Amino acid sequence: MIQLANVTKVYNKNMHALNNISVTINDGEFVYVVGHSGAGKSTFIRLLYREEKSTKGDVIVNGKNVSKIRNSKVPLYRRTIGVVFQDFKLLQNRTAFENVAFALEVHGEKSSDIRRKVRDALEVVGLKGKAKQLPHQLSGGEQQRVAIARAIVNRPSILIADEPTGNLDPVTSRSIMDVLEAINQMGTTVVMATHDVHLVNEMPKRTLTFNNGTIYSDVTEGGYFVDE
Ligand code: ADP
Ligand code: ADP
C-alpha cells in the first residue's frame, strides 16, 4: 500500500512542486498519474522510489516511512519496487538476459535461480526468444519490455512507470500497456505517469490528475479530461 499524508515538496524556496497532497493507493490497483508538464507527476513518482525526499508529510510504502530510510538502505528498499522510465536505461553492451539478470546478480543469487527468474520475467513481457539480443538489436518497444522484465524480476509488489510509452509509437505503446495490465493482473500494483490521453481513455483505470502541485481530481474509472 502507498499512503501520502499532507506531502509537500519544495525544490526552491517559493516553488511548491507538490503542495499538501494526500492519497492512498491500495495493493493491486492500477493508477494513472496525469497532468500538464510541471504539474508534479515526476516529483510524486520520485518520492515513491526515494529518488527525492518529501519536504513535509509522510510517504508510507508497504508500511515503511520512505523519507526516513537511511541512504545506505535505499538500494534494499528499491528492490521491493520496480521502476521503468521513458528512456529504458538499459546497459547497451549487455544482452537482454544480462540486463535483467543484473538486478539479481548484484546480490549474489545462484546462477540457476538467476536463469529461471530471468527466463520467467522475459516470458511475462513476451521476449522469450530475444534473450541474447543487445539493446541496439531490439526495437524501442522490445527495449522497454526488457526494462519492464528487469523491473519485475525481483517480484516487487509495486511497479512504477514514469512515461513508459513516451518514446514509443501508438501501436507499440498499446502493446506495452497490455504488458503492464498483465503484470497488474498477477497482483502487482502499477502506478504509471503519462501524458498520453488516448492510452488512458482506451484502458480506463483510476486516474490521479495533478495540477500545479496538487491532486486536482481522483476518479475511479479513467478518463483524462484536462485540456492540453
Ligand atoms: P511533471 O512531471 O508533471 O512535469 P515535475 O514533478 O517534474 O512535473 O515538476 C513539478 C515542478 O517542480 C515544476 O515546476 C518543475 O520545474 C519543478 N522541479 C522538478 N524537479 C526539480 C528539481 N530537481 N529542481 C528544481 N525544481 C524542480
Ligand atoms: P538449455 O535450456 O538449452 O539447456 P540453458 O538454459 O542452459 O540452455 O541456457 C544457455 C544459456 O543461454 C544460459 O546460460 C543463458 O545465459 C542463455 N539464455 C539465452 N536465452 C535465455 C532465456 N530465455 N532464459 C534463460 N537463459 C537464456
Side-chain angles (χ1 to χ4, degrees), residues 95 97-98 101 111 114-120 122-123 127-133:
T95 64
F97 182 93
E98 289 162 347
S111 68
I114 291 174
R115 274 216 297 283
R116 181 178 43 78
K117 288 182 184 176
V118 174
R119 249 180 253 166
D120 289 350
L122 287 172
E123 188 159 4
L127 273 190
K128 228 176 134 192
K130 306 260 172 153
K132 291 181 178 158
Q133 309 286 303

Side-chain angles (χ1 to χ4, degrees), residues 3-50:
Q3 277 179 297
L4 276 74
N6 303 104
V7 169
T8 291
K9 175 66 185 176
V10 181
Y11 291 106
N12 302 316
K13 280 236 149 40
N14 42 15
M15 234 309 296
H16 285 59
L18 292 177
N19 195 355
N20 198 36
I21 70 165
S22 298
V23 64
T24 297
I25 297 173
N26 288 308
D27 290 345
E29 282 198 87
F30 192 124
V31 179
Y32 294 116
V33 175
V34 306
H36 293 287
S37 185
K41 304 182 297 295
S42 296
T43 300
F44 174 69
I45 294 282
R46 292 201 291 259
L47 289 177
L48 298 183
Y49 67 94
R50 229 322 270 283

Side-chain angles (χ1 to χ4, degrees), residues 53-226:
K53 286 191 205 181
S54 63
T55 307
K56 258 196 270 174
D58 289 331
V59 177
I60 312 285
V61 178
N62 295 333
K64 280 204 189 63
N65 191 333
V66 175
S67 306
K68 293 199 170 137
I69 298 172
R70 279 200 246 145
N71 286 341
S72 63
K73 300 280 185 198
V74 168
L76 192 68
Y77 167 68
R78 293 222 181 113
R79 239 175 272 163
T80 67
I81 52 176
V83 189
V84 176
F85 303 94
Q86 177 170 351
D87 61 356
F88 322 137
K89 298 195 194 293
L90 298 177
L91 299 170
Q92 291 304 312
N93 56 352
R94 305 288 180 99
T95 64
F97 182 93
E98 289 162 347
N99 267 281
V100 179
F102 194 70
L104 297 167
E105 280 166 326
V106 289
H107 18 97
E109 294 242 357
K110 263 168 55 187
S111 68
S112 56
D113 289 341
I114 291 174
R115 274 216 297 283
R116 181 178 43 78
K117 288 182 184 176
V118 174
R119 249 180 253 166
D120 289 350
L122 287 172
E123 188 159 4
V124 167
V125 301
L127 273 190
K128 228 176 134 192
K130 306 260 172 153
K132 291 181 178 158
Q133 309 286 303
L134 291 165
H136 74 84
Q137 298 171 313
L138 297 169
S139 68
E142 287 170 339
Q143 291 183 53
Q144 190 58 292
R145 286 166 190 262
V146 174
I148 294 170
R150 180 182 58 189
I152 62 164
V153 72
N154 278 309
R155 307 212 170 212
S157 60
I158 300 169
L159 177 62
I160 292 168
D162 194 356
E163 299 278 357
T165 62
N167 284 347
L168 304 174
D169 64 70
V171 173
T172 306
S173 295
R174 241 166 275 138
S175 72
I176 292 296
M177 295 309 296
D178 291 340
V179 172
L180 294 178
E181 180 157 61
I183 290 166
N184 176 242
Q185 277 165 5
M186 294 171 188
T188 309
T189 306
V190 177
V191 180
M192 169 177 161
T194 182
H195 269 106
D196 195 323
V197 180
H198 296 291
L199 278 189
V200 172
N201 291 336
E202 258 175 31
M203 196 189 279
K205 305 280 185 192
R206 181 178 175 193
T207 304
L208 304 177
T209 303
F210 281 67
N211 184 34
N212 208 5
T214 65
I215 296 178
Y216 166 87
S217 76
D218 177 356
V219 291
T220 316
E221 265 281 299
Y224 186 172
F225 303 115
V226 174

